[in-house]
Amino acid sequence: MAFVFALILAALVLFATELVPVDVTAIAVMVALLSAEPVTATFADLGLLAEPLYVLHQPGDDISPLAQGLSGFASTATITVLAMFILSDGVQRTGIVQLLGAKLAALTGDSETKQLGATVGLVGPISGFINNTAAVAILLPMVTDIAHEGKTSPSKLLLPLSYASMFGGMLTLIGTSTNILASQLSAELLDRPFSMFEFTQLGLIVTAVGTVYLLTVGRWLVPSRIPVREDLTEEFEMADYLTEVVVREDSPIVGQTVREALAETDLDVDVVQLVRDKRTFLEPLDQKTIRAGDVFAVRIDRDTLVELLDLDGLDVIPDVTVDDAELERASDRQNLIELVIAPGSALVGETLASSNFRQRYDATVLALRRGRELFRQRMDRVRLKVGDTLLVQATVDSIDRLDVNRDFIVAQEVERPDYRKSKIPVAVGIVAAVVAVAALTQVHIVVSALAGALAMVLTGCLRPGELYDAVQWDVIFLLAGVIPLGIALQETGGADLIADLFVLAAPGLPAIVVLGLMYVVTALLTNIISNNASVVLMIPVAVQAAGQLEANAFAFVLAVTFAASTAFMTPVGYQTNLLVYGPGGYRFTDYLKVGAPLQAVFAVVTTLGIAYFWGLAPA
């Protein structure tokens, strides 16, 4: 037990601090459990009668560390979540969500109330049927455009977008990976998995309450961090960092390539574009040979500019403002975009230099925003995180490639000719069939979900090579790592011990109060660590606590499930919060100010709703 508690403590610290990515922490947990001493337990004791990994074990056998440590990969929850990622991607590639967003955008105009209502009203129901992180990633560009076209700060809409996706995910079993994982744990511990619409009635109430909050109190509390945009260079406060210079006849860099000229200096400068003979050139510029009279737009601060002019024989062009219009003169389409680092991006933990960003993507980063913090100097030294927003200039072709690259989310709508609009009825029909089969028959959700994923490929909604890109592998490895940790917590008696302490801390309190405390504790935990890790650690405790109180254990499981999907108070508790952190320009405290009252309201509503619908008397 001491080993398991030490492992949990270490995992919690790593999850909270993110010294390493959460999926790497999960793999480390798995390795630690694989190295542990064998656990003597029966097949039935582990509650894994439905798990095919253990079919070779007989009652009374030792469960090896190998089998227990790898059980997360054989988990029905892990496989179901993987299949749901594929289903969500199949729907996304048809463009149906973008079509719905465009229709709503046409109705909102410049009314902030309509914009907010459309944002919450669209993402909530969608998040009930496709992964809510994917829903936010798809809708973020549309919501940003609605805000700018309606002269509203994007900050007023993006935090509600994230929050609504979270409580919208509580409408069905497949709304979040947390629900699917909680269902498996409930099946193992109580022999009662969740049905497809097990908690839809409470989910509708929570969604309605959350929507009212966001349209009233939340609207007042959410700040306008990003000004109403006239242009992106103004939004990123680039006036003192962009200028145009001309190459003199006597310049020592005449005849050199742009790469050679930049390689010879340690100055913090980026060549943004080249204007020559009334033609404008963007990346790739490295091989362009510099001529006298060439005009370069450069990203540079004022002090460095003085050094550059003396060193390279350049003159500043006076009375020129380098703004969006100047930077987008290369083509009729947009050359300047905001680029958000997506969850699972290969660039997380890298720098612009180590990832060779400029050469790799033929794009120039002009600025980097992380919440309210703006980087416009020495950006190549900053290690990238999920939600970081880059101000990027690139050609139309490069922007098209960035838009389909899963490492990024382009924060403005980009016309994509590759949407498979003819497949919209097929993709929607497949998801509907998956839901119907799981809800109305005895077929397990993992079977219907995998069949749906296969149907997406067979019908052409997805191409075979796109299957792997559809899956958020960091989530899959996270699940595979934390599931065996939950089993170990239960089997070593750790869950019993925590439950004892939990009940002792609330002596003589009614079961409904303890249920509310279980919700609050889980909600606080999930704001710090992964929602899936919270479920794995708290559901065994909830079941044991309910047993000691002689209360309905299923009600306690539901409290943990709902609480784990309400990480409203920090940007790090849920991936959707991170996605809007940079584009919204938020401060860490904004999440606490807006999310804490919502968390308190949900604690009351959810606790009372569970007591009403499922009761607290033991089943």
Side-chain angles (χ1 to χ4, degrees):
M1 185 188 299
F3 170 76
V4 172
F5 275 121
L7 187 58
I8 290 173
L9 180 61
L12 289 177
V13 170
L14 290 173
F15 281 138
T17 60
E18 293 193 39
L19 294 175
V20 294
V22 292
D23 51 326
V24 176
T25 298
I27 294 171
V29 168
M30 192 188 313
V31 171
L33 290 172
L34 288 171
S35 306
E37 291 297 319
V39 177
T40 301
T42 67
F43 185 80
D45 286 338
L46 285 174
L48 293 167
L49 292 174
E51 298 295 335
L53 180 65
Y54 294 91
V55 294
L56 298 180
H57 289 286
Q58 299 298 321
D61 283 352
D62 286 347
I63 304 301
S64 72
L66 186 64
Q68 190 173 22
L70 295 176
S71 61
F73 284 112
S75 163
T76 56
T78 304
I79 304 303
T80 303
V81 170
L82 185 148
M84 294 311 304
F85 280 136
I86 296 172
L87 288 170
S88 296
D89 196 55
V91 173
Q92 177 182 347
R93 288 182 185 273
T94 67
I96 183 173
V97 178
Q98 286 79 1
L99 289 175
L100 290 173
K103 291 184 182 299
L104 280 178
L107 300 174
T108 57
D110 59 359
S111 168
E112 183 182 318
T113 301
K114 289 182 179 179
Q115 294 166 6
L116 188 57
T119 298
V120 175
L122 181 61
V123 75
I126 287 176
S127 297
F129 294 94
I130 70 172
N131 178 267
N132 51 7
T133 303
V136 170
I138 295 168
L139 293 175
L140 191 151
M142 181 269 291
V143 171
T144 301
D145 281 353
I146 286 178
H148 289 312
E149 290 170 11
K151 305 302 180 184
T152 300
S153 168
S155 311
K156 300 293 287 185
L157 303 182
L158 292 177
L159 197 58
L161 172 70
S162 175
Y163 286 174
S165 75
M166 281 189 246
F167 53 68
M170 299 310 300
L171 292 172
T172 70
L173 169 63
I174 61 175
T176 72
S177 59
T178 310
N179 296 348
I180 296 169
L181 178 56
S183 177
Q184 178 186 309
L185 293 170
S186 181
E188 293 171 359
L189 297 174
L190 302 176
D191 196 26
R192 184 175 176 180
F194 301 158
S195 65
M196 179 61 66
F197 301 106
E198 180 76 56
F199 37 74
T200 299
Q201 69 273 45
L202 182 55
L204 288 170
I205 293 172
V206 166
T207 299
V209 170
T211 300
V212 171
Y213 174 87
L214 292 176
L215 290 172
T216 54
V217 177
R219 179 179 174 182
W220 176 64
L221 291 175
V222 173
S224 299
R225 296 295 183 199
I226 300 295
V228 177
R229 187 182 77 201
E230 294 300 327
D231 59 44
L232 281 169
T233 51
E234 179 183 343
E235 181 180 314
F236 280 80
E237 302 173 17
M238 297 298 297
D240 292 333
Y241 294 88
L242 290 174
T243 191
E244 284 191 349
V245 295
V246 61
V247 181
R248 296 200 307 259
E249 292 284 348
D250 61 348
S251 171
I253 63 173
V254 170
Q256 295 182 5
T257 65
V258 172
R259 172 180 286 183
E260 290 169 345
L262 290 176
E264 291 180 1
T265 177
D266 292 328
L267 299 179
D268 180 31
V269 57
D270 282 320
V271 175
V272 177
Q273 65 183 23
L274 163 64
V275 180
R276 175 186 293 165
D277 300 328
K278 297 183 179 181
R279 291 185 61 193
T280 301
F281 300 92
L282 304 181
E283 289 290 349
L285 294 173
D286 281 354
Q287 299 306 315
K288 293 287 185 184
T289 300
I290 299 172
R291 302 177 186 173
D294 281 349
V295 174
F296 290 107
V298 293
R299 180 207 56 81
I300 193 170
D301 66 87
R302 296 302 182 191
D303 293 337
T304 308
L305 177 60
V306 174
E307 295 182 57
L308 181 70
L309 296 178
D310 292 339
L311 193 65
D312 287 347
L314 306 173
D315 289 328
V316 173
I317 300 179
D319 302 323
V320 172
T321 300
V322 182
D323 56 11
D324 283 31
E326 180 68 16
L327 294 176
E328 294 187 336
R329 59 191 289 181
S331 72
D332 295 332
R333 280 182 55 188
Q334 191 171 15
N335 298 128
L336 206 60
I337 58 169
E338 289 179 275
L339 208 60
V340 183
I341 303 298
S345 171
L347 274 73
V348 173
E350 297 284 348
T351 66
L352 296 176
S354 66
S355 64
N356 204 22
F357 186 96
R358 184 170 188 152
Q359 290 73 30
R360 188 174 178 181
Y361 301 108
D362 286 337
T364 304
V365 177
L366 305 181
L368 185 156
R369 185 171 60 219
R370 178 175 296 160
R372 288 290 293 166
E373 190 174 7
L374 272 174
F375 299 88
R376 288 154 299 189
Q377 296 173 269
R378 299 296 180 187
M379 293 172 293
D380 56 344
R381 301 176 179 179
V382 179
R383 294 203 174 274
L384 300 173
K385 297 182 179 181
V386 173
D388 283 352
T389 303
L390 310 177
L391 176 61
V392 171
Q393 189 195 35
T395 63
V396 170
D397 289 342
S398 294
I399 290 174
D400 287 341
R401 290 194 297 271
L402 289 167
D403 188 43
V404 298
N405 189 317
R406 294 309 177 92
D407 288 336
F408 310 104
I409 300 165
V410 176
Q412 294 89 30
E413 286 288 347
V414 176
E415 181 63 31
R416 288 177 58 176
D418 61 336
Y419 283 135
R420 297 154 198 170
K421 295 180 181 179
S422 64
K423 299 294 183 181
I424 288 176
V426 179
V428 173
I430 290 172
V431 173
V434 169
V435 172
V437 169
L440 303 176
T441 72
Q442 296 300 311
V443 176
H444 196 284
I445 179 63
V446 69
V447 178
S448 63
L450 283 173
L454 178 62
M456 284 288 184
V457 177
L458 295 179
T459 58
C461 296
L462 282 175
R463 301 187 181 101
E466 294 170 344
L467 287 173
Y468 303 97
D469 291 335
V471 179
Q472 291 183 24
W473 292 104
D474 57 333
V475 176
I476 299 303
F477 277 93
L478 173 64
L479 290 173
V482 298
I483 286 173
L485 184 60
I487 296 172
L489 180 66
Q490 179 194 350
E491 291 305 311
T492 58
D496 289 330
L497 178 59
I498 297 174
D500 288 341
L501 296 174
F502 194 90
V503 173
L504 286 174
L509 293 179
I512 192 169
V513 176
V514 180
L515 180 71
L517 289 174
M518 186 67 67
Y519 180 100
V520 170
V521 170
T522 305
L524 292 174
L525 186 64
T526 202
N527 275 284
I528 301 171
I529 69 170
S530 158
N531 50 319
N532 290 317
S534 299
V535 160
V536 167
L537 294 176
M538 291 303 296
I539 281 184
V541 174
V543 170
Q544 296 298 334
Q548 295 185 29
L549 293 169
E550 297 184 355
N552 181 3
F554 189 70
F556 277 67
V557 168
L558 287 174
V560 171
T561 304
F562 270 76
S565 290
T566 57
F568 301 133
M569 296 193 296
T570 70
V572 299
Y574 211 88
Q575 285 185 331
T576 59
N577 283 349
L578 280 174
L579 283 182
V580 302
Y581 186 48
Y586 298 113
R587 296 173 181 167
F588 195 98
T589 53
D590 292 336
Y591 290 83
L592 186 62
K593 182 175 71 174
V594 182
L598 181 59
Q599 200 105 56
V601 170
F602 273 19
V604 174
V605 171
T606 305
T607 300
L608 294 177
I610 291 172
Y612 176 79
F613 287 116
W614 289 276
L616 296 181

